[in-house]
Amino acid sequence: MALSLALILLAFLCGSWPFSVWLGNLLGGTDVRQVGDGNPGATNAYRAGGVLLGLLVLILDVSKGAVPVGLAHFNLGIRGLPMYLIAIAPLLGHAFSPFLRFRGGKGLAVSFGVWIGLTLWRVPLPALLLVLFWAALLD
């Protein structure tokens, strides 16, 4: 029980790290919340700082969902209700980040990371390939 509680808190904390805001200020000298829809996330990081910043934030946002969930699910064998709570925690951390006065982003990249953490790419990889194929057709 104590381990599950610690992992839920760790997953929330990981999800709450606002990489887009931190890296936007550090690398681009801009607040990514001032562009696009005003949310911190990879899309606005891309809009504010270009491809490199956008990709870096995307990788980190996916990772902050995948790492705690994958650790709990595959390395520690946690299942059931504790696993559900651990899987939801990074999303809640991203959406309600204490680092941003509980005003975070939408959590799309973090959701993808949670999905990876639960399935080890069995479902996300084909889905990603399909999205990339669809995006290529639209261009």
Side-chain angles (χ1 to χ4, degrees):
M1 182 63 155
L3 176 63
S4 295
L5 211 63
L7 287 170
I8 292 166
L9 291 173
L10 176 68
F12 180 86
L13 179 64
C14 286
S16 70
W17 295 333
F19 290 118
S20 62
V21 174
W22 292 343
L23 292 175
N25 288 330
L26 183 68
L27 300 178
T30 184
D31 187 349
V32 299
R33 296 169 293 178
Q34 301 302 315
V35 298
D37 62 4
N39 285 318
T43 301
N44 284 345
Y46 168 75
R47 289 177 181 150
V51 174
L52 180 63
L53 180 61
L55 277 174
L56 188 56
V57 169
L58 178 65
I59 290 167
L60 289 170
D61 278 357
V62 168
S63 297
K64 71 184 186 180
V67 169
V69 171
L71 174 72
H73 188 68
F74 288 102
N75 293 42
L76 300 174
I78 295 176
R79 302 289 187 266
L81 181 61
M83 191 63 239
Y84 294 129
L85 296 175
I86 292 166
I88 291 169
L91 297 167
L92 293 175
H94 185 79
F96 304 104
S97 174
F99 297 103
L100 301 175
R101 296 186 193 128
F102 300 97
R103 297 165 86 191
K106 293 178 274 193
L108 185 61
V110 179
S111 297
F112 191 65
V114 168
W115 200 13
I116 290 169
L118 290 171
T119 65
L120 283 183
W121 287 102
R122 280 179 265 178
V123 176
L125 184 58
L128 177 63
L129 293 174
L130 182 62
V131 167
L132 291 174
F133 177 74
W134 178 53
L137 289 177
L138 293 176
D139 283 342

